Amino acid sequence: MGECTHNCSTCGEKCSAPQTDNPHELSRIKRVIAVVSGKGGVGKSSVTAMLAAAMNKKGYSTAVLDADVTGASIPKMYGVRGDVQSDGIGMYPVKTEDGIKIISSNLLLENESDPIVWRGPIIAGMVKQFWTDVIWGDVDYMFIDCPPGTGDVPLTVFQSIKIDGIVVVTTPQELVSMIVEKAVNMANLMKIPVLGIVENMSYVVCPDCGKRINVFGDGKAVGETAQKFGLPVLAEIPYDAKLVAAADGGKMDVQTFEYINPAADILESGLPVNTH
Ligand code: ADP
């Protein structure tokens, strides 16, 4: 066998899962969950922020590694600005008002609106450093806000970080089945379990009578896809102006979002501790 490229689909050898990098020696991270989506704008970062906030409110030490380097939005959603401290030992995450530890490319920029115009390998290298060079300390649940799609950077995330499970975020407008299938195939290739699907922006709740109104068709697309792949729908999130206001106002850590709780409960009960 030649040198391992970690692309198991082109290799006939039987080997164990690709070798991942160790986190910083001062990090003790119990569970790592990657949040992925097929494309941008479906609410992946919002779901990441809500899941982390829900686990934090349950009393777990929680962290978010923002790997969506070019579309970094986690600091803004939590109302956090610079300034990441570092010393000869490593880099230190910044804490939100509610105590969630975060690291993001946006925290390293002088102006949060500065664009990041780096090529894929540089971006991927930065994500890797967020894992290996950041002193995370004790973390019960780390969430990784992955870049959308199945490109260079998500691949690096999956290859360098030992991930315990993947959460797929989708909306009913997407080509749900194809997007989920891609995510599942990629996860299988990397030997990472897919924990389930979070369905976002599929319905609204009538403010007067509380009735659920499916905005897109009969509202079955995501459920049927989940069934096809034998995956649970972890949560169904309505289109909610409260969520937009919290994200824009930097209050995603202190606000509660009851509709994310089923997903948080599953993560709490269904994931083994696997200290990294
Ligand atoms: P992604 O990370 O997939 O690019 P974001 O989480 O940044 O998506 O969300 C994209 C936009 O959609 C943001 O303005 C966000 O506030 C909004 N959004 C996400 N989910 C919802 C929702 N359930 N209801 C209303 N707006 C939402």
Side-chain angles (χ1 to χ4, degrees):
M1 185 172 80
E3 199 187 333
C4 176
T5 61
H6 300 307
N7 182 354
C8 306
S9 66
T10 59
C11 172
E13 295 293 320
K14 283 202 169 59
C15 69
S16 54
Q19 205 62 48
T20 49
D21 293 326
N22 288 328
H24 194 283
E25 59 183 13
L26 296 176
S27 299
R28 285 163 306 278
I29 305 161
K30 289 186 181 157
R31 307 169 190 86
V32 182
I33 296 148
V35 184
V36 307
S37 67
K39 60 173 186 180
V42 301
K44 172 184 52 60
S45 301
S46 306
V47 168
T48 307
M50 282 191 284
L51 275 176
M55 297 317 287
N56 191 53
K57 285 191 175 59
K58 281 175 181 281
Y60 294 104
S61 169
T62 307
V64 179
L65 188 162
D66 188 357
D68 193 355
V69 172
T70 53
S73 51
I74 292 293
K76 186 159 192 306
M77 286 182 178
Y78 284 145
V80 173
R81 284 176 171 269
D83 129 64
V84 174
Q85 304 291 318
S86 62
D87 55 23
I89 307 169
M91 229 184 323
Y92 296 84
V94 178
K95 276 192 179 179
T96 71
E97 190 184 334
D98 223 23
I100 302 169
K101 295 173 186 174
I102 65 170
I103 200 84
S104 167
S105 57
N106 256 21
L107 297 172
L108 301 169
L109 300 175
E110 213 158 295
N111 297 304
E112 62 178 14
S113 52
D114 287 347
I116 290 195
V117 284
W118 304 335
R119 294 191 192 280
I122 306 281
I123 294 174
M126 178 180 233
V127 172
K128 220 164 148 168
Q129 277 186 292
F130 285 170
W131 173 248
T132 56
D133 297 3
V134 171
I135 299 170
W136 289 101
D138 285 302
V139 172
D140 295 316
Y141 286 92
M142 172 181 276
F143 293 90
I144 301 184
D145 187 7
C146 285
T150 49
D152 233 16
V153 184
L155 197 65
T156 301
V157 171
F158 293 147
Q159 287 179 338
S160 1
I161 303 177
K162 173 89 180 59
I163 292 165
D164 299 299
I166 290 179
V167 170
V168 183
V169 180
T170 186
T171 66
Q173 303 105 297
E174 281 188 285
L175 300 164
V176 176
S177 183
M178 188 187 76
I179 301 250
V180 171
E181 189 161 4
K182 276 193 186 191
V184 171
N185 286 343
M186 183 159 172
N188 286 343
L189 213 60
M190 302 288 152
K191 299 187 166 66
I192 306 168
V194 179
L195 303 171
I197 303 173
V198 172
E199 176 176 1
N200 192 25
M201 294 193 270
S202 54
Y203 66 99
V204 290
V205 177
C206 171
D208 294 326
C209 68
K211 189 173 169 222
R212 174 178 164 147
I213 302 161
N214 291 325
V215 186
F216 306 100
D218 59 8
K220 288 187 186 152
V222 175
E224 282 171 1
T225 301
Q227 217 171 14
K228 178 173 162 197
F229 295 102
L231 297 172
V233 175
L234 301 169
E236 294 173 313
I237 299 172
Y239 187 90
D240 184 10
K242 185 179 83 182
L243 191 159
V244 182
D248 289 351
K251 294 287 175 198
M252 289 291 277
D253 59 330
V254 286
Q255 180 113 25
T256 45
F257 303 94
E258 65 288 350
Y259 33 72
I260 201 70
N261 289 342
D265 291 345
I266 292 172
L267 295 185
E268 184 177 32
S269 61
L271 263 187
V273 176
N274 196 3
T275 301
H276 301 271

